Amino acid sequence: MSQSVTTNTNSELYARCGFYIDGRWIFPDDARCIDVVDPASEEVIGKIPLARKQDLDAAVAAAALAFADWRRSHAWDRAAILKRTAYLLRERAASHAGIFSLEQGKPGTEALREIGMAADHFEWAAEEATRLVGQIVPARPAGTVSVVEHQPVGVVAAFTPWNFPALQIAAKVAYALAAGCTIVLKPSEEAPGIAMLIVQALHDAGLPSGAINLIFGEPAEVSERWLASPEVKAMSFTGSTRVGKLLAPMAAASLKRATLELGGHAPVIVYPDFSPKEAVSLAAAVKFRNAGQACVSPSRFFVHKEILNDFTREMVAFAKSLKLGPGSDETTTMGPLVNRSRVDAAARLVKDALDRGAILECGGGQPADRNKGFFFEPTVLSNVAQDSLIMIEEPFAPIAPIVAFDDDDDVIGMANDVEYGLGGYVLCRDPVLAERAAEGLNVGMVGINNLALAGADTPFGGVKASGLGREGGPGALEEFLQKKMTKRAVTV
Ligand code: NAD
């Protein structure tokens, strides 16, 4: 069903909501506030409060109190609430998409699609909850029986970013709640409205008070306070590898469980038996989706030299066909970056690549026809040196660097030569070569002739500096569970 996107009462939403603690919305009168900015116009669209220490502690206290009952609730009852949440998100998708496309910048159609994917996670988590079975182990000595059951770990501190602000909240919250955990959540301050709306949907679906608590704040102050709290038993973070490496030792200091969904730098290897036109039609839309701000975005294109020129020409044509604009404009196919610092970071990567001999095929900076907004042109670079920063650092920008290869083994080494290992893609018609390449890529997820890796039904996550743990898929609740074994003498 196609839905049109409605905008935008962001400032009213922020003012009405603020924090959600123990089942109530609170906007403290004396809270420090920060502006929420529309990245397409640079205009302030509202204010949100920043948590004080007492707010952070109140959120944890509410989650700890609620855990006592929520952990004992019946899995079918938890599942019913999560399914109702999914239903409400789908029902409200059009207005929700308008709210967060305005604050985050993505086109309304992408925002709608993301809300659908978030709802998928709530449904998948609900179903996983009702299939969470334990084990009876034949025990020794005879006359004993060992029962293994799953128990929720406790209060989970969840930190989510701005690039897929609905999806990434769902990918944590749905599974933690399904497992019987309670949550303190700090979403990105750059896209606060969709977080409020998801929490409102959980509230309306009947989630008990305290089971989820939402605050905004200075990120480092929040994580330091929550990760030092003995009441918090697990952390789940999605964001940069830099911040993940800061938070992991803080969680480890008090032996908290940690799930880390960090950066990626996905290679795409295009073999000469794959039509360059088809390769671009598969890869380019994913490359420029969300203006390249996705952790599984294809971000290094290794193209066989036999098809290099054709591939580059097609990629340039696609990049030039994109229409930049605000997410609320139905004709927009690529929105702005989320903030000024992302624009500066993209410009720095392009300059460095050009300094090292790359050829600027198109784009390369802020569009000349826009003097407002954090827009960056869809950019294609060819002849990119392997030691360029853009081949090392995650670009998180609409930049497609293209590198030629001619040796099937060398290209796997080049593709693996980064600290990241999240996604990777192989475009190849020869099934043996394709399997060999996929097997050689040191990543958590590979697409063979397919660039759609994310979905609630499969595990999402990486290896190396891309993180620890998985979100979604069969067994997704395990991130939030611990095993308890009870051994009984059955004959005394
Ligand atoms: P950043 O690392 O400053 O922030 C990313 C997110 O982490 C933000 O939502 C922020 O609120 C949160 N954060 C930052 N410091 C924190 C702290 N001390 N405690 C708790 N949370 C904290 O990055 P950025 O400049 O906003 O984004 C650019 C980089 O972030 C990209 O290069 C990319 O690697 C990464 N990123 C990755 C994802 C992902 O899906 N894996 C999402 C967003 C950003």
Side-chain angles (χ1 to χ4, degrees):
M1 181 179 62
S2 88
Q3 287 172 294
S4 67
V5 177
T6 57
T7 43
N8 72 41
T9 51
N10 290 57
S11 63
E12 279 170 37
L13 174 73
Y14 306 150
R16 178 167 60 78
C17 294
F19 309 141
Y20 181 83
I21 298 175
D22 203 15
R24 288 188 308 122
W25 291 105
I26 306 159
F27 200 125
D29 291 339
D30 55 345
R32 272 185 307 143
C33 290
I34 53 164
D35 293 338
V36 184
V37 173
D38 168 7
S41 66
E42 301 183 41
E43 279 167 19
V44 174
I45 52 172
K47 287 185 186 308
I48 53 165
L50 297 176
R52 306 154 300 176
K53 284 196 172 65
Q54 62 263 40
D55 303 315
L56 298 174
D57 293 348
V60 171
L65 191 65
F67 180 62
D69 286 340
W70 185 247
R71 66 175 304 185
R72 300 197 192 291
S73 61
H74 199 287
W76 285 74
D77 295 334
R78 296 200 296 275
I81 292 172
L82 297 173
K83 283 185 184 169
R84 267 203 299 279
T85 304
Y87 175 84
L88 292 174
L89 289 176
R90 292 192 201 284
E91 190 181 57
R92 300 169 181 178
S95 65
H96 287 14
I99 294 275
F100 96 89
S101 139
L102 184 68
E103 59 190 12
Q104 197 272 348
K106 66 182 59 179
T109 46
E110 285 186 30
L112 266 179
R113 187 169 160 271
E114 186 181 333
I115 290 171
M117 291 174 79
D120 286 350
H121 276 288
F122 281 102
E123 280 161 0
W124 183 268
E127 286 156 9
E128 286 288 292
T130 57
R131 286 155 184 65
L132 190 63
V133 292
Q135 292 169 317
I136 296 176
V137 182
R140 287 191 299 180
T144 62
V145 61
S146 298
V147 175
V148 182
E149 59 188 321
H150 300 283
Q151 296 199 325
V153 291
V155 176
V156 176
F159 304 91
T160 57
W162 42 263
N163 59 334
F164 288 91
L167 181 61
Q168 284 156 334
I169 289 172
K172 299 187 187 312
V173 162
Y175 300 103
L177 289 174
C181 294
T182 56
I183 299 162
V184 286
L185 168 67
K186 190 205 84 62
S188 163
E189 288 67 32
E190 264 131 341
I194 187 61
M196 295 166 173
L197 293 166
I198 291 174
V199 169
Q200 183 67 52
L202 282 159
H203 176 103
D204 296 343
L207 188 71
S209 298
I212 189 164
N213 303 275
L214 164 78
I215 64 90
F216 301 96
E218 291 289 352
E221 282 178 25
V222 180
S223 50
E224 274 165 33
R225 190 98 187 151
W226 281 354
L227 296 182
S229 166
E231 300 280 16
V232 174
K233 304 298 185 199
M235 164 184 77
S236 184
F237 170 78
T238 298
S240 66
T241 295
R242 179 186 67 79
V243 174
K245 284 179 178 174
L246 288 175
L247 300 191
M250 289 161 64
S254 51
L255 302 180
K256 296 189 200 315
R257 190 84 75 82
T259 304
L260 296 162
E261 295 293 343
L262 307 179
H265 205 342
V268 185
I269 307 178
V270 191
Y271 287 88
D273 65 354
F274 207 91
S275 140
K277 195 178 174 73
E278 209 185 326
V280 169
S281 87
L282 275 176
V286 185
K287 164 70 250 175
F288 294 109
R289 180 175 301 150
N290 203 24
Q293 302 168 113
C295 51
V296 282
S297 180
S299 50
R300 292 173 296 143
F301 290 88
F302 297 100
V303 181
H304 196 277
K305 64 180 185 185
E306 278 178 25
I307 55 166
L308 181 69
N309 291 341
D310 289 347
F311 180 91
T312 306
R313 194 182 57 249
E314 294 287 341
M315 187 62 110
V316 169
F318 185 96
K320 287 185 171 169
S321 75
L322 291 168
K323 181 169 178 300
L324 273 59
S328 55
D329 181 339
E330 281 183 9
T331 65
T332 294
T333 49
M334 197 182 94
L337 300 185
V338 76
N339 56 33
R340 173 69 54 201
S341 73
R342 297 307 320 146
V343 174
D344 296 343
R348 172 178 151 269
L349 293 179
V350 171
K351 179 175 182 313
D352 172 81
L354 297 179
D355 288 348
R356 291 172 201 264
I359 298 164
L360 183 63
E361 301 282 351
C362 67
Q366 290 198 263
D369 59 346
R370 290 193 174 269
N371 53 10
K372 280 280 177 206
F374 308 126
F375 291 95
F376 198 88
E377 294 169 303
T379 298
V380 179
L381 297 168
S382 63
N383 195 41
V384 179
Q386 185 74 356
D387 65 353
S388 306
L389 289 178
I390 196 163
M391 300 301 284
I392 299 165
E393 295 178 14
E394 182 182 23
F396 239 57
I399 309 172
I402 301 175
V403 175
F405 79 91
D406 62 1
D407 183 287
D408 294 345
D409 292 323
D410 286 354
V411 73
I412 301 298
M414 288 156 73
N416 285 334
D417 190 20
V418 283
E419 69 166 330
Y420 301 103
L422 189 61
Y425 308 94
V426 176
L427 298 180
C428 181
R429 292 290 172 209
D430 175 345
V432 177
L433 188 54
E435 288 297 334
R436 209 174 79 202
E439 200 274 327
L441 288 179
N442 193 8
V443 292
M445 301 168 288
V446 191
I448 300 177
N449 302 339
N450 160 54
L451 276 97
L453 290 181
D457 52 353
T458 47
F460 188 96
V463 297
K464 304 196 312 193
S466 291
L468 296 171
R470 295 292 181 269
E471 290 182 335
L477 272 52
E478 282 166 22
E479 298 288 325
F480 303 105
L481 293 167
Q482 55 207 356
K483 286 179 179 164
K484 181 170 183 184
M485 190 279 286
T486 310
K487 188 166 182 178
R488 294 192 185 87
V490 288
T491 52
V492 190

